[in-house]
Amino acid sequence: LCQYILPSGLWINVDNQEHEQLEHLVKDSKFVITIFDSSFDYNIYQSPDTLGQFYLSILKLIEKNPGWNGIVKSKDYSFASLAILPCAEEVIQKMKLLISANRLIVLDPLVSPIAAFVYSHLSVCYGLNSAGIIAGIYGYRAIHWDCCGWLHHPFYRDKEQKIVFHSLDEFEQAIYQASNGDTSIGDFTRWRKLFNYFEDLKAPQRFAEFIQEFMEEVVKTNDASHSLSTSVDKYIRRNNITDDLFELENYWEDELIRKESL
């Protein structure tokens, strides 16, 4: 059992690189979509079939809408890796055509997802996708196609949410709404504090300060338990951690129950 559990914030490396290709793509676009895929296989919920549907859906939307461009940020992108898809030939052909027309850019898997979503108007995600959650925490818009049907996920209990869609048709309609200026699509504002209490990226700094203080206290007192308690108290005061940290999860649970009863 843990004696103390403290929030530190998110540990995410910020991508400070300039990406000339992406800047050029945005400059010539009315609407840019970042495409986040995820792992798939025949023996897990996310399958080659649903990933193929996802890619075809987005690629077709980009194809038939002049001014729309796309950024692919894949976990393991290569045309060879897509060969397992039932519709692989069509997906690969569409990708190559859009790439040759300078309407689609495929990023290296090692590039931070941040580099992708900061250049787009909307991120579209295969499954309930951590990259999309990170985009939302950063204040960017992202939506997820719940191809697995996790209908008991807490997001669904909020009837006003517009971030997770079970139907691919609803997912596509949401993309069109976003392209027409509907900023409620993919808006993660109400969830940000639940995922990142401090709503910043200073976790490493907080953690380092805490460890340093604890070590200094141990040297002075030779009492690990007392030093830990003292360091925790200082951490709470320095970072203005209030009781809302412990009430936050219960708040959302109560709020969702309230909305379900309306």
Side-chain angles (χ1 to χ4, degrees):
L1 296 177
C2 295
Q3 188 172 358
Y4 302 102
I5 298 176
L6 298 170
S8 63
L10 289 186
W11 294 66
I12 302 175
N13 292 326
V14 177
D15 191 317
N16 292 318
Q17 298 181 41
E18 293 183 2
H19 297 270
E20 294 182 6
Q21 273 188 307
L22 297 179
E23 290 176 358
H24 179 73
L25 185 79
V26 172
K27 183 179 179 181
D28 296 334
S29 303
K30 295 178 181 177
F31 186 63
V32 179
I33 300 171
T34 287
I35 304 166
F36 289 114
D37 68 11
S38 190
S39 303
F40 67 96
D41 209 332
Y42 285 104
N43 59 349
I44 62 176
Y45 286 98
Q46 294 180 175
S47 68
D49 181 56
T50 53
L51 182 59
Q53 292 179 49
F54 172 77
Y55 265 123
L56 279 181
S57 171
I58 305 305
L59 294 172
K60 286 179 179 178
L61 288 178
I62 295 173
E63 269 185 338
K64 65 184 180 183
N65 286 281
W68 288 27
N69 291 337
I71 303 166
V72 174
K73 178 62 183 73
S74 174
K75 282 185 174 290
D76 180 27
Y77 175 82
S78 69
F79 289 132
S81 69
L82 297 176
I84 191 175
L85 304 182
C87 53
E89 185 176 346
E90 187 177 3
V91 168
I92 292 171
Q93 180 186 36
K94 289 184 182 298
M95 277 191 170
K96 287 182 175 179
L97 287 172
L98 288 169
I99 290 170
S100 65
N102 296 317
R103 298 188 59 200
L104 186 73
I105 290 175
V106 180
L107 297 179
D108 186 286
L110 296 179
V111 173
S112 167
I114 299 170
F117 61 66
V118 299
Y119 284 97
S120 66
H121 299 93
L122 181 71
S123 294
V124 297
C125 307
Y126 172 63
L128 296 175
N129 195 301
S130 59
I133 299 296
I134 292 170
I137 289 170
Y138 266 80
Y140 294 87
R141 293 185 293 148
I143 61 174
H144 309 248
W145 175 39
D146 176 22
C147 57
C148 300
W150 302 115
L151 300 180
H152 293 292
H153 192 282
F155 284 146
Y156 281 115
R157 297 180 62 183
D158 183 350
K159 293 182 174 62
E160 297 176 10
Q161 67 87 19
K162 296 181 182 179
I163 55 175
V164 179
F165 300 87
H166 178 50
S167 159
L168 191 54
D169 288 339
E170 291 176 335
F171 188 69
E172 291 181 0
Q173 186 59 41
I175 296 172
Y176 273 116
Q177 290 174 328
S179 73
N180 289 324
D182 186 345
T183 56
S184 69
I185 301 297
D187 181 9
F188 202 71
T189 302
R190 74 180 71 183
W191 300 92
R192 287 176 66 184
K193 195 172 180 66
L194 182 62
F195 281 80
N196 182 20
Y197 178 75
F198 296 107
E199 298 190 78
D200 63 22
L201 301 173
K202 298 179 180 178
Q205 176 184 331
R206 289 190 185 92
F207 183 73
E209 289 174 348
F210 176 78
I211 294 298
Q212 183 66 33
E213 276 187 349
F214 172 66
M215 293 172 64
E216 291 173 355
E217 284 291 331
V218 168
V219 170
K220 286 191 298 185
T221 66
N222 199 31
D223 185 336
S225 179
H226 172 77
S227 298
L228 180 60
S229 177
T230 299
S231 299
V232 167
D233 288 342
K234 288 182 178 179
Y235 184 89
I236 289 173
R237 290 196 301 272
R238 182 171 61 252
N239 292 290
N240 299 314
I241 299 171
T242 61
D243 288 343
D244 71 335
L245 168 66
F246 311 102
E247 297 169 355
L248 192 58
E249 185 173 350
N250 291 334
Y251 166 79
W252 276 106
E253 183 72 14
D254 294 342
E255 182 70 3
L256 294 176
I257 291 173
R258 182 190 69 80
K259 288 180 179 179
E260 285 179 341
S261 66
L262 296 178

